[in-house]
Amino acid sequence: QVQLQESGPGLVKPSQTLSLTCTVSGGSINNGNYYWSWIRQPAGKGPEWIGRIYYTGSTTYNPSLKSRVTMSVDTSRNQFSLNLTSVTAADTAVYYCARERASRSEDVFDIWGQGTMVTVSS
Amino acid sequence: EIVMTQSPATLSVSPGERATLSCRASQSVFTNLAWYQQKPGQPPRLLIYGASTRATGIPARFSGSGSGTEFTLTISSLQSEDFALYYCQQYNSWWTFGQGTKVAIK
């Protein structure tokens, strides 16, 4: 079965760039039936969608984060990545990668990684 | 942005009883509504999509209803493994989640 695993630094300094990678196993990221998303969840709060990428490299970002977010995909490694620039303490959260169904009527996140805690602190 | 409001924040229920969770959207999302379950230290797990369709492997005691701006998740007979956080999420216009309802043991 498809599994996702996040990786990257757990501590980032303010004003620097947060960089995370999600590795997809048990299935191909080239599957046109899915998008690949990043979602974050601050402690004690609901999740917040950050953005998504298609295997072609096409991206869609949350308007509230768009100026700071870049996503990329590496189909040869079955990975996709997130860069979030100019981070502040407000960006401290558990970051999840997730598979999103590319269907208008079922546009939901059906498989999630375990999540990685990222703290922004000097 | 569509704001999702869940109530109550905490629901205390005895095992075997019925739990009813509510979710309200700030504007119509039709039936583009999903429910997720989250346990401590775990990612959210998809339960329901299309407001009422159970995801693969989800027990029949979970049911969803509603359309437009008002939605309900019902757990017909609470099992020990059902005590968790539950989030609603709309996917009609971008993707936004509610703040969650905690189902706690009474």
Side-chain angles (χ1 to χ4, degrees), chain A residues 44-74:
Chain A
K45 296 187 177 182
E48 178 185 31
W49 174 77
I50 300 171
R52 71 180 187 186
I53 190 165
Y54 200 50
Y55 74 96
T56 58
S58 174
T59 55
T60 307
Y61 301 141
N62 187 323
S64 68
L65 297 169
K66 186 175 182 178
S67 63
R68 298 195 292 130
V69 172
T70 304
M71 295 182 183
S72 60
V73 63
D74 186 339

Side-chain angles (χ1 to χ4, degrees), chain B residues 15-99:
Chain B
E17 289 187 343
R18 173 188 297 258
T20 302
L21 290 67
S22 297
C23 174
R24 173 177 292 178
S26 60
Q27 62 189 77
S28 177
V29 298
F30 303 94
T31 56
N32 296 315
L33 190 285
W35 289 93
Y36 297 82
Q37 177 193 68
Q38 188 176 32
K39 297 180 179 179
Q42 296 185 18
R45 172 194 180 198
L46 178 66
L47 296 176
I48 301 280
Y49 61 91
S52 61
T53 302
R54 280 189 302 276
T56 303
I58 302 304
R61 65 181 181 271
F62 291 91
S63 63
S65 64
S67 65
T69 61
E70 301 285 342
F71 299 90
T72 300
L73 174 70
T74 301
I75 311 171
S76 60
S77 176
L78 272 161
Q79 307 298 302
S80 58
E81 62 267 30
D82 301 335
F83 293 96
L85 265 169
Y86 291 83
Y87 293 100
C88 61
Q89 175 237 327
Q90 67 82 20
Y91 49 95
N92 188 67
S93 176
W94 302 91
W95 299 265
T96 52
F97 293 80
Q99 290 304 298

